[in-house]
Amino acid sequence: MSRTHAIPPDQTRRWLEPGPVVLLSTAHNGERGIMTLGWHMMLGYDLVGTYIDPGNRSHALARGSRECVINLPTADLLDTVVRIGNCSSADEDKFERFGLTAVESSEVDAPGIGECHARFECRLHETRITADYPLFVWRVVAAHAAKRPKWPRTVHYRGAGQFMISGDERSRRALFKPEMLES
Ligand SMILES: Cc1cc2nc3c(=O)[nH]c(=O)nc-3n(C[C@H](O)[C@H](O)[C@H](O)COP(=O)(O)O)c2cc1C
Protein backbone atom coordinates (compact mmCIF):
# COMPACT_ATOMS: atom_id res chain seq x y z
CA MET A 1 0.00 0.00 0.00
CA SER A 2 1.33 3.45 -0.88
CA ARG A 3 0.17 7.01 -0.10
CA THR A 4 1.94 8.43 -3.13
CA HIS A 5 0.62 9.75 -6.44
CA ALA A 6 2.51 10.41 -9.67
CA ILE A 7 4.37 13.70 -9.89
CA PRO A 8 6.28 15.26 -12.83
CA PRO A 9 9.94 14.15 -12.76
CA ASP A 10 11.05 17.77 -13.16
CA GLN A 11 9.63 18.51 -9.70
CA THR A 12 12.10 16.12 -8.05
CA ARG A 13 13.98 19.07 -6.54
CA ARG A 14 11.02 19.90 -4.28
CA TRP A 15 11.58 16.66 -2.36
CA LEU A 16 15.30 16.01 -2.80
CA GLU A 17 16.57 19.44 -1.83
CA PRO A 18 20.33 19.04 -1.67
CA GLY A 19 21.32 21.04 1.38
CA PRO A 20 21.77 24.64 2.47
CA VAL A 21 21.51 27.40 -0.11
CA VAL A 22 24.95 28.95 -0.57
CA LEU A 23 26.31 32.17 -2.06
CA LEU A 24 29.04 31.45 -4.59
CA SER A 25 31.46 34.33 -5.07
CA THR A 26 33.91 34.66 -7.94
CA ALA A 27 36.38 37.16 -9.38
CA HIS A 28 38.08 37.36 -12.75
CA ASN A 29 39.91 40.15 -14.60
CA GLY A 30 38.82 42.81 -12.10
CA GLU A 31 35.15 41.75 -12.08
CA ARG A 32 33.41 40.21 -9.04
CA GLY A 33 30.32 38.05 -8.94
CA ILE A 34 27.96 36.54 -6.41
CA MET A 35 25.20 34.05 -7.18
CA THR A 36 22.71 32.18 -5.03
CA LEU A 37 23.09 28.44 -5.49
CA GLY A 38 20.95 25.58 -4.23
CA TRP A 39 22.15 22.75 -6.44
CA HIS A 40 25.36 21.40 -4.95
CA MET A 41 26.56 18.12 -3.55
CA MET A 42 29.51 16.64 -1.65
CA LEU A 43 31.61 14.39 -3.90
CA GLY A 44 34.24 13.54 -1.27
CA TYR A 45 35.42 15.00 2.04
CA ASP A 46 36.89 18.09 0.33
CA LEU A 47 35.21 17.92 -3.10
CA VAL A 48 32.00 19.80 -3.91
CA GLY A 49 29.99 19.76 -7.14
CA THR A 50 27.95 22.83 -8.12
CA TYR A 51 25.48 23.33 -10.98
CA ILE A 52 26.09 26.81 -12.44
CA ASP A 53 23.84 27.59 -15.37
CA PRO A 54 25.77 29.00 -18.36
CA GLY A 55 23.32 31.93 -18.50
CA ASN A 56 24.67 33.19 -15.18
CA ARG A 57 27.59 35.63 -15.21
CA SER A 58 29.14 33.53 -12.44
CA HIS A 59 29.57 30.69 -14.94
CA ALA A 60 31.98 32.75 -17.05
CA LEU A 61 33.78 34.10 -13.96
CA ALA A 62 34.18 30.62 -12.46
CA ARG A 63 35.28 29.14 -15.73
CA GLY A 64 37.74 31.93 -16.44
CA SER A 65 39.32 32.06 -12.98
CA ARG A 66 38.90 28.34 -12.09
CA GLU A 67 38.29 29.48 -8.51
CA CYS A 68 35.40 30.42 -6.26
CA VAL A 69 34.37 30.82 -2.63
CA ILE A 70 31.32 28.93 -1.38
CA ASN A 71 29.78 31.07 1.39
CA LEU A 72 27.21 29.73 3.86
CA PRO A 73 24.50 32.28 4.69
CA THR A 74 22.08 31.95 7.61
CA ALA A 75 18.39 32.77 7.99
CA ASP A 76 19.02 36.46 8.85
CA LEU A 77 20.29 36.88 5.27
CA LEU A 78 17.32 35.14 3.60
CA ASP A 79 15.91 38.21 1.80
CA THR A 80 19.38 39.17 0.55
CA VAL A 81 19.98 35.58 -0.59
CA VAL A 82 16.80 35.69 -2.69
CA ARG A 83 17.56 39.15 -4.08
CA ILE A 84 21.11 38.11 -5.04
CA GLY A 85 19.57 35.20 -6.93
CA ASN A 86 17.27 37.50 -8.87
CA CYS A 87 19.77 39.86 -10.47
CA SER A 88 23.01 39.48 -12.39
CA SER A 89 26.62 40.39 -11.70
CA ALA A 90 26.75 41.30 -15.40
CA ASP A 91 24.71 44.42 -14.51
CA GLU A 92 26.15 45.44 -11.13
CA ASP A 93 28.63 44.59 -8.37
CA LYS A 94 26.51 42.65 -5.89
CA PHE A 95 28.91 43.28 -2.97
CA GLU A 96 28.17 47.00 -3.36
CA ARG A 97 24.47 46.70 -4.12
CA PHE A 98 23.77 44.50 -1.08
CA GLY A 99 26.29 46.12 1.29
CA LEU A 100 28.24 42.90 1.77
CA THR A 101 31.80 42.80 3.11
CA ALA A 102 34.34 41.37 0.67
CA VAL A 103 36.76 39.34 2.80
CA GLU A 104 40.17 38.58 1.36
CA SER A 105 40.67 34.86 0.82
CA SER A 106 43.82 33.05 1.90
CA GLU A 107 44.26 30.73 -1.12
CA VAL A 108 42.19 32.12 -3.98
CA ASP A 109 41.67 35.54 -5.56
CA ALA A 110 37.88 35.47 -5.23
CA PRO A 111 36.72 37.31 -2.08
CA GLY A 112 34.51 35.66 0.52
CA ILE A 113 31.43 37.26 2.11
CA GLY A 114 32.06 38.51 5.66
CA GLU A 115 28.39 38.29 6.75
CA CYS A 116 28.29 34.51 6.12
CA HIS A 117 28.74 31.83 8.79
CA ALA A 118 31.40 29.92 6.82
CA ARG A 119 33.54 30.31 3.72
CA PHE A 120 35.03 27.53 1.60
CA GLU A 121 37.75 28.60 -0.81
CA CYS A 122 37.75 26.36 -3.88
CA ARG A 123 39.84 25.56 -6.94
CA LEU A 124 38.47 23.80 -9.99
CA HIS A 125 39.35 20.14 -9.65
CA GLU A 126 37.85 18.52 -12.72
CA THR A 127 37.41 20.06 -16.14
CA ARG A 128 36.18 17.18 -18.34
CA ILE A 129 32.63 17.27 -16.98
CA THR A 130 32.44 21.07 -17.12
CA ALA A 131 33.25 20.99 -20.84
CA ASP A 132 29.97 19.14 -21.55
CA TYR A 133 27.74 20.04 -18.62
CA PRO A 134 27.54 23.05 -16.25
CA LEU A 135 28.76 20.96 -13.33
CA PHE A 136 31.85 22.35 -11.62
CA VAL A 137 33.74 19.98 -9.34
CA TRP A 138 35.65 22.02 -6.76
CA ARG A 139 38.38 21.10 -4.30
CA VAL A 140 38.16 23.03 -1.06
CA VAL A 141 41.67 24.42 -0.46
CA ALA A 142 40.93 26.54 2.64
CA ALA A 143 37.90 26.87 4.93
CA HIS A 144 36.81 29.30 7.65
CA ALA A 145 33.79 29.01 9.93
CA ALA A 146 32.37 30.89 12.92
CA LYS A 147 32.58 29.03 16.23
CA ARG A 148 29.05 30.10 17.20
CA PRO A 149 26.27 29.29 16.78
CA LYS A 150 27.27 25.62 16.80
CA TRP A 151 24.28 24.72 14.60
CA PRO A 152 23.70 27.69 12.26
CA ARG A 153 20.13 28.22 11.00
CA THR A 154 20.77 27.59 7.31
CA VAL A 155 18.21 28.14 4.55
CA HIS A 156 17.08 25.33 2.24
CA TYR A 157 15.21 25.87 -1.00
CA ARG A 158 12.20 23.71 -1.87
CA GLY A 159 11.46 25.50 -5.18
CA ALA A 160 8.53 27.78 -6.06
CA GLY A 161 9.78 30.50 -3.68
CA GLN A 162 9.48 28.28 -0.59
CA PHE A 163 12.28 27.89 1.97
CA MET A 164 12.89 25.64 4.95
CA ILE A 165 15.01 26.98 7.81
CA SER A 166 17.07 24.41 9.70
CA GLY A 167 16.89 24.29 13.45
CA ASP A 168 15.39 21.09 14.88
CA GLU A 169 18.56 19.38 16.18
CA ARG A 170 18.62 15.78 17.34
CA SER A 171 21.60 13.59 18.19
CA ARG A 172 21.59 9.89 17.29
CA ARG A 173 25.26 9.26 18.08
CA ALA A 174 24.32 6.16 20.07
CA LEU A 175 22.97 4.46 16.90
CA PHE A 176 26.21 4.91 14.94
CA LYS A 177 29.10 2.49 14.56
CA PRO A 178 32.06 4.37 16.14
CA GLU A 179 34.03 4.39 12.87
CA MET A 180 31.10 6.17 11.17
CA LEU A 181 31.52 9.15 13.51
CA GLU A 182 35.13 9.97 12.71
CA SER A 183 34.40 12.82 10.30
C1 LIG B 1 17.13 30.07 -3.98
C2 LIG B 1 17.86 30.12 -5.30
C3 LIG B 1 18.65 29.05 -5.70
C4 LIG B 1 19.35 29.07 -6.91
N1 LIG B 1 20.11 28.01 -7.27
C5 LIG B 1 20.80 28.05 -8.43
C6 LIG B 1 21.65 26.96 -8.80
O1 LIG B 1 21.81 25.98 -8.09
N2 LIG B 1 22.31 27.06 -10.00
C7 LIG B 1 22.17 28.12 -10.84
O2 LIG B 1 22.79 28.13 -11.91
N3 LIG B 1 21.38 29.18 -10.50
C8 LIG B 1 20.70 29.16 -9.31
N4 LIG B 1 19.92 30.22 -8.96
C9 LIG B 1 19.81 31.36 -9.86
C10 LIG B 1 21.01 32.32 -9.77
O3 LIG B 1 21.33 32.62 -8.43
C11 LIG B 1 20.66 33.60 -10.50
O4 LIG B 1 20.47 33.34 -11.87
C12 LIG B 1 21.68 34.68 -10.27
O5 LIG B 1 21.08 35.89 -10.47
C13 LIG B 1 22.94 34.52 -11.12
O6 LIG B 1 23.78 35.61 -10.86
P1 LIG B 1 25.02 36.00 -11.82
O7 LIG B 1 24.48 36.35 -13.17
O8 LIG B 1 25.61 37.16 -11.12
O9 LIG B 1 25.90 34.80 -11.87
C14 LIG B 1 19.24 30.20 -7.74
C15 LIG B 1 18.44 31.30 -7.34
C16 LIG B 1 17.77 31.26 -6.13
C17 LIG B 1 16.93 32.44 -5.72
Side-chain angles (χ1 to χ4, degrees):
M1 169 137 149
S2 164
R3 293 180 290 121
T4 61
H5 63 280
I7 54 171
D10 66 3
Q11 287 185 10
T12 302
R13 56 91 59 86
R14 290 201 191 178
W15 284 265
L16 297 187
E17 67 86 13
V21 170
V22 298
L23 294 173
L24 186 136
S25 49
T26 42
H28 188 52
N29 286 344
E31 182 183 345
R32 306 188 289 194
I34 309 177
M35 71 174 286
T36 302
L37 186 138
W39 290 354
H40 58 79
M41 70 176 293
M42 295 305 302
L43 293 166
Y45 285 104
D46 60 352
L47 290 179
V48 185
T50 60
Y51 177 92
I52 307 178
D53 191 274
N56 292 328
R57 184 66 189 150
S58 302
H59 186 278
L61 299 175
R63 223 174 157 144
S65 64
R66 300 164 71 94
E67 293 178 348
C68 77
V69 180
I70 295 173
N71 305 270
L72 182 69
T74 40
D76 50 306
L77 285 174
L78 179 57
D79 289 356
T80 302
V81 163
V82 176
R83 289 192 176 109
I84 288 173
N86 282 274
C87 61
S88 179
S89 310
D91 303 324
E92 57 200 330
D93 182 309
K94 296 192 196 179
F95 281 95
E96 279 176 20
R97 169 161 174 199
F98 296 104
L100 296 170
T101 311
V103 177
E104 197 174 329
S105 297
S106 54
E107 296 292 330
V108 302
D109 287 335
I113 301 173
E115 287 73 12
C116 285
H117 180 85
R119 304 186 302 275
F120 304 93
E121 299 177 25
C122 299
R123 278 211 191 93
L124 196 60
H125 171 71
E126 149 73 60
T127 50
R128 281 166 300 173
I129 299 172
T130 315
D132 297 335
Y133 198 74
L135 174 67
F136 290 70
V137 178
W138 303 102
R139 182 175 293 284
V140 179
V141 292
H144 302 86
K147 286 211 168 106
R148 288 192 186 74
K150 187 173 182 187
W151 309 116
R153 284 168 57 78
T154 49
V155 303
H156 301 246
Y157 191 41
R158 297 186 189 278
Q162 186 69 27
F163 290 83
M164 183 267 284
I165 309 288
S166 69
D168 190 6
E169 297 296 329
R170 285 157 205 216
S171 173
R172 288 292 183 277
R173 287 182 70 85
L175 300 181
F176 277 70
K177 291 190 283 185
E179 62 269 29
M180 294 290 287
L181 290 170
E182 275 164 17
S183 287

